Amino acid sequence: MPNITPEQMRFWSPSVRELEPYVPGEQPKIQNLLKLNTNENPYPPSPKVVAAVQAVLENSADALRLYPDPDASALKQAIAKQQNVAVENVFVGNGSDEVLAHIYKAFFVRDEPILSPDISYSFYPVYSQFFAVNSKQIALNEDFEIDIADYKQANGGVIIANPNAPTSIALPLTKIEELLVANPDRVVVIDEAYVDFGAESAVTLVEKYDNLVVCQTTSKSRSLAGLRVGFAIAQPHLIAALEAVKNSFNSYPIDRFAIAAAVASFEDQAYFEAQNQKVIASRDKLTAQLTNLGFKVLPSKANFIFATLPSNDAGELASKLREQGIIVRYFNKPRINQFLRITIGTDEQNQRLVDTLKNDILG
Amino acid sequence: MPNITPEQMRFWSPSVRELEPYVPGEQPKIQNLLKLNTNENPYPPSPKVVAAVQAVLENSADALRLYPDPDASALKQAIAKQQNVAVENVFVGNGSDEVLAHIYKAFFVRDEPILSPDISYSFYPVYSQFFAVNSKQIALNEDFEIDIADYKQANGGVIIANPNAPTSIALPLTKIEELLVANPDRVVVIDEAYVDFGAESAVTLVEKYDNLVVCQTTSKSRSLAGLRVGFAIAQPHLIAALEAVKNSFNSYPIDRFAIAAAVASFEDQAYFEAQNQKVIASRDKLTAQLTNLGFKVLPSKANFIFATLPSNDAGELASKLREQGIIVRYFNKPRINQFLRITIGTDEQNQRLVDTLKNDILG
């Protein structure tokens, strides 16, 4: 950010002067870098994704001059089919970050506090500040788990990531259901960015609960972080609030290439399942290897692990890995400043991490 | 929108229950339709755009699994070069609609009223409602022109479309400068969605005025409505406010295909200029033909015209054109409910409009 004088600052809206924006994981442009810091998938998207974009170029490049379908109906249909819900249950946006922003505006701008875990996706407090949402952070228990009992208090809504990030720990659906029952008059949002790597999705509860919004993304399990497509599943009266917000902000958030590519991804269920199984197997293998090196690894249902090495400072470990060309995510925050968040790579990439730790750093 | 019971409505944020969202021009899926209703370009984008996306597929489809550059630096550089400004003067977003939304949040959330013309882009009042911006509409004069003298009053900021829409009339830069001088402590936004079709751009004033934000889009003059890329040009202390807002809402709004495609468009200046000249020539020809049929056509510097036929009701004309497979935009609003907004097509398409009017409707 440039140096801004107090005089120049008079042009900013007063509330914007106080914003503390989200800081995305860095995207360095270094050769041979092993990037295990932003929970991207180590595998490419389905070959059908590339074919679908190719088809747009060949058959309808001229249509780039035309606005995309503001409703992205084709994409909603593909998601509905894959998720086994009706089209009326689907909302789509420019990445799940935009979907989450719309969720905050649609449901959470009210007097009572919105509850979320103290250790969770670091964009939640940013949205709260952006929309002037009254929010209250609930501490994870000593095992870094969400304890639903702590959320049974007056609130204006609840948002929980399941699996949680950066802890990687998942809640069973019975616990989610307990939360839904305890909050009959307020929306409960389950942010399932990492659900496809072994956790139970709450989408199966949407039909039963009129207060549930489930949010997912194509960025992790579908290898489409470069595309920006996220979605929410809920009953129609909640989807309508999201549509009202979206159409008061930006009518056409998803471009023609992204729609075509995402549709192709949702239609290739076999690739999706096979790829996720590979990541899960690699995660379990890496967890065992790091445990052997003395790490304590939290039980992960995500495409990353959250690990601490009692003998070494986590911040120093992150720096030393970086010197060796391996980037992991380190949060210098209370309670988690002795942990590293490590994205699951291919088996080969994970082996490089293990070898580097063993031979160059700990050895 | 589904029927929503008062009981279901309790889940919505109170302020969201009152929103009146923007209604985009319809995108009907009808064969042989002549679509002159959403100001899209009749010509495809530069062939280099298609080649750039092709190159992404061939060289870096694997990179779809990785987040795009959150800063879209390559795109900012291409825009800076084409606009003859520094990279630090450029902000990019998911279409100029998203850029405008961020502009409202960044500069216009303050006590004094934000001024805009009473007849202008219909998204402005929607943004005002979304961000609870205090806004005041200033009537166009009897010739449907913006009179800068009317804006010389206490305000929290000013936003003007130049050329204005749907009137198509442009202000000269001397008038914009008058407005900038009269508002030294508040931001003046010039929304130049249509500027490339013959108006003077205020980008040349950015170096001189610390209170100017110019907003443009690739959707019209670059034939990339299907891609969703808009941008703003301003001094760095204003760009910084937009970045703070953007990074508190959605860090990665532009996907890998859109970045590559838009860069290619900005690098093909010759195609851009030739195509705009074609549209301008067609506009002048169509204006003459409609004038011959008895229409009064406002003096246009855009890729559309705003026209009224004293002998016929505009709403009825729009309906009759629709029956003949031609869609134009009709606004059933005070002062302009006897006008049609007609997008400039190819000469052949415009001829079909003229022939249909002459032979099937007025004849």
Side-chain angles (χ1 to χ4, degrees):
Chain A
M1 194 160 105
N3 239 337
I4 296 171
T5 65
E7 208 192 349
Q8 291 172 326
M9 201 50 107
R10 76 189 186 282
F11 294 119
W12 294 36
S13 297
S15 61
V16 169
R17 295 170 208 167
E18 315 299 326
L19 288 181
E20 295 168 50
Y22 177 73
V23 180
E26 57 177 336
Q27 302 282 357
K29 289 142 191 157
I30 302 168
Q31 288 286 324
N32 281 321
L33 187 75
L34 178 49
K35 215 175 146 302
L36 302 177
N37 67 326
T38 48
N39 296 344
E40 290 147 331
N41 202 301
Y43 303 107
S46 160
K48 291 184 180 164
V49 166
V50 175
V53 176
Q54 190 75 51
V56 171
L57 291 180
E58 281 166 21
N59 308 329
S60 54
D62 174 68
L64 285 176
R65 66 184 183 82
L66 302 174
Y67 284 93
D69 174 7
D71 205 40
S73 310
L75 178 55
K76 286 184 178 174
Q77 280 162 22
I79 293 172
K81 193 173 171 196
Q82 195 266 335
Q83 294 281 329
N84 202 21
V85 297
V87 173
E88 294 71 39
N89 297 119
V90 183
F91 176 79
V92 293
N94 183 269
S96 62
D97 284 346
E98 189 191 61
V99 175
L100 288 167
H102 290 336
I103 283 172
Y104 268 74
K105 174 75 173 177
F107 307 117
F108 287 172
V109 186
R110 44 175 82 243
D111 294 335
E112 315 95 310
I114 305 305
L115 310 182
S116 63
D118 63 337
I119 297 170
S120 194
Y121 186 31
S122 51
F123 222 132
Y124 298 159
V126 178
Y127 296 131
S128 287
Q129 204 187 17
F130 189 81
F131 291 114
V133 163
N134 176 12
S135 65
K136 185 173 171 183
Q137 300 200 332
I138 309 291
L140 296 182
N141 72 19
E142 57 185 11
D143 293 324
F144 295 96
E145 294 164 346
I146 292 167
D147 187 339
I148 291 302
D150 300 335
Y151 292 77
K152 291 179 181 168
Q153 54 174 284
N155 68 68
V158 176
I159 181 164
I160 277 177
N162 190 38
N164 195 17
T167 64
S168 80
I169 300 173
L171 278 177
L173 272 199
T174 49
K175 290 290 171 186
I176 304 288
E177 208 161 353
E178 213 180 288
L179 188 59
L180 288 162
V181 169
N183 274 281
D185 293 326
R186 290 293 176 260
V187 169
V188 172
V189 177
I190 309 298
D191 178 357
E192 298 188 342
Y194 301 102
V195 77
D196 296 319
F197 301 103
E200 295 175 280
S201 171
V203 167
T204 53
L205 301 178
V206 161
E207 199 175 349
K208 188 168 171 195
Y209 292 97
D210 66 359
N211 58 337
L212 169 62
V213 175
V214 180
C215 183
Q216 293 192 15
T217 176
T218 64
S219 296
K220 315 295 183 182
S221 57
R222 296 186 177 277
S223 302
L224 291 174
L227 206 67
R228 321 310 310 126
V229 175
F231 60 99
I233 309 282
Q235 289 189 12
H237 62 282
L238 301 182
I239 297 296
L242 292 170
E243 296 288 355
V245 165
K246 172 241 177 195
N247 286 316
S248 297
F249 185 86
N250 186 9
S251 310
Y252 308 91
I254 311 185
D255 68 56
R256 287 175 173 270
F257 293 123
I259 290 174
V263 165
S265 171
F266 282 100
E267 288 175 350
D268 195 350
Q269 183 71 14
Y271 184 91
F272 170 71
E273 288 174 5
Q275 191 196 54
N276 294 341
Q277 285 309 316
K278 278 202 282 187
V279 172
I280 290 169
S282 299
R283 176 186 70 209
D284 295 345
K285 187 173 169 190
L286 177 62
T287 300
Q289 288 176 299
L290 291 181
T291 304
N292 276 342
L293 289 180
F295 279 86
K296 187 191 162 198
V297 182
L298 300 191
S300 173
K301 295 286 186 190
N303 72 335
F304 60 87
I305 53 174
F306 205 49
T308 181
L309 185 61
S311 58
N312 290 62
D313 180 73
E316 276 177 33
L317 267 184
S319 300
K320 286 182 181 167
L321 282 169
R322 197 188 174 87
E323 285 165 20
Q324 303 292 327
I326 300 175
I327 305 194
V328 298
R329 189 102 194 241
Y330 172 68
F331 299 91
N332 194 2
K333 287 183 183 173
R335 290 190 75 188
I336 57 171
N337 64 3
Q338 286 311 317
F339 280 82
L340 299 177
R341 196 193 69 184
I342 304 171
T343 303
I344 307 302
T346 61
D347 279 339
E348 195 182 26
Q349 291 171 331
N350 300 339
Q351 193 63 51
R352 175 172 160 199
L353 170 71
V354 171
D355 291 345
T356 302
L357 282 167
K358 204 180 335 190
N359 304 330
D360 302 316
I361 298 178
L362 307 175
Chain B
M1 194 161 106
N3 240 339
I4 295 171
T5 66
E7 208 193 346
Q8 291 173 326
M9 200 52 108
R10 76 188 186 283
F11 294 120
W12 294 37
S13 298
S15 62
V16 169
R17 296 171 207 167
E18 315 298 326
L19 288 181
E20 296 168 48
Y22 176 73
V23 180
E26 56 178 337
Q27 303 282 358
K29 288 141 193 161
I30 302 170
Q31 288 286 323
N32 280 320
L33 187 76
L34 179 48
K35 212 173 150 305
L36 302 178
N37 68 325
T38 47
N39 295 343
E40 290 147 333
N41 202 302
Y43 302 106
S46 159
K48 292 183 181 165
V49 166
V50 174
V53 176
Q54 190 76 53
V56 171
L57 290 181
E58 280 166 23
N59 307 330
S60 53
D62 176 67
L64 285 176
R65 68 184 182 83
L66 303 174
Y67 283 92
D69 174 7
D71 204 42
S73 311
L75 178 55
K76 286 183 177 175
Q77 281 164 21
I79 292 171
K81 193 173 173 197
Q82 194 266 338
Q83 294 282 330
N84 201 20
V85 296
V87 173
E88 294 71 40
N89 297 119
V90 183
F91 176 78
V92 293
N94 183 270
S96 62
D97 284 347
E98 189 190 63
V99 176
L100 288 167
H102 289 336
I103 283 172
Y104 268 75
K105 174 75 173 178
F107 308 117
F108 287 172
V109 185
R110 44 174 84 242
D111 294 335
E112 316 96 307
I114 305 305
L115 310 183
S116 63
D118 63 337
I119 297 170
S120 193
Y121 187 30
S122 50
F123 222 132
Y124 298 158
V126 178
Y127 296 130
S128 287
Q129 204 188 14
F130 189 82
F131 291 113
V133 164
N134 175 12
S135 66
K136 185 173 172 183
Q137 300 199 329
I138 309 291
L140 296 182
N141 72 18
E142 57 184 12
D143 294 324
F144 294 96
E145 293 164 348
I146 292 166
D147 187 340
I148 291 303
D150 300 334
Y151 292 77
K152 290 179 181 168
Q153 54 175 285
N155 67 67
V158 177
I159 181 163
I160 277 176
N162 191 38
N164 196 17
T167 64
S168 79
I169 299 173
L171 278 176
L173 271 198
T174 49
K175 290 290 171 186
I176 303 288
E177 208 160 355
E178 214 179 284
L179 186 60
L180 288 161
V181 170
N183 275 281
D185 292 326
R186 290 295 176 256
V187 170
V188 172
V189 178
I190 309 299
D191 178 357
E192 298 188 343
Y194 301 102
V195 75
D196 295 319
F197 301 103
E200 295 175 278
S201 172
V203 168
T204 54
L205 301 177
V206 161
E207 200 176 349
K208 188 168 171 195
Y209 292 96
D210 64 0
N211 58 337
L212 170 62
V213 175
V214 180
C215 182
Q216 292 192 15
T217 176
T218 64
S219 296
K220 315 296 184 182
S221 57
R222 295 185 179 277
S223 303
L224 290 175
L227 207 67
R228 322 311 309 127
V229 175
F231 60 99
I233 309 282
Q235 290 188 13
H237 63 283
L238 301 182
I239 296 296
L242 292 171
E243 296 288 355
V245 166
K246 173 240 175 195
N247 286 318
S248 298
F249 185 86
N250 185 9
S251 309
Y252 308 91
I254 311 186
D255 68 57
R256 287 177 173 269
F257 293 123
I259 290 173
V263 165
S265 171
F266 282 100
E267 287 176 351
D268 195 351
Q269 183 72 14
Y271 183 91
F272 170 71
E273 288 174 5
Q275 190 196 54
N276 293 340
Q277 286 309 315
K278 278 203 283 187
V279 173
I280 291 169
S282 299
R283 175 185 71 208
D284 294 347
K285 190 174 166 191
L286 177 62
T287 300
Q289 288 176 298
L290 291 181
T291 305
N292 277 341
L293 290 179
F295 279 85
K296 186 191 164 199
V297 182
L298 300 190
S300 173
K301 294 285 186 193
N303 72 335
F304 60 88
I305 53 174
F306 205 49
T308 181
L309 186 60
S311 59
N312 290 61
D313 180 74
E316 276 177 34
L317 267 183
S319 300
K320 286 181 181 170
L321 281 168
R322 195 188 176 88
E323 285 165 21
Q324 303 291 326
I326 301 175
I327 306 194
V328 299
R329 189 104 193 237
Y330 171 69
F331 299 91
N332 195 3
K333 287 184 184 173
R335 290 189 75 187
I336 57 171
N337 64 3
Q338 287 310 315
F339 278 82
L340 298 178
R341 194 193 70 184
I342 305 170
T343 303
I344 306 302
T346 61
D347 279 341
E348 196 182 25
Q349 291 172 330
N350 299 337
Q351 193 62 52
R352 175 174 158 197
L353 170 71
V354 170
D355 291 345
T356 301
L357 282 167
K358 205 181 334 190
N359 304 330
D360 303 315
I361 298 179
L362 307 174

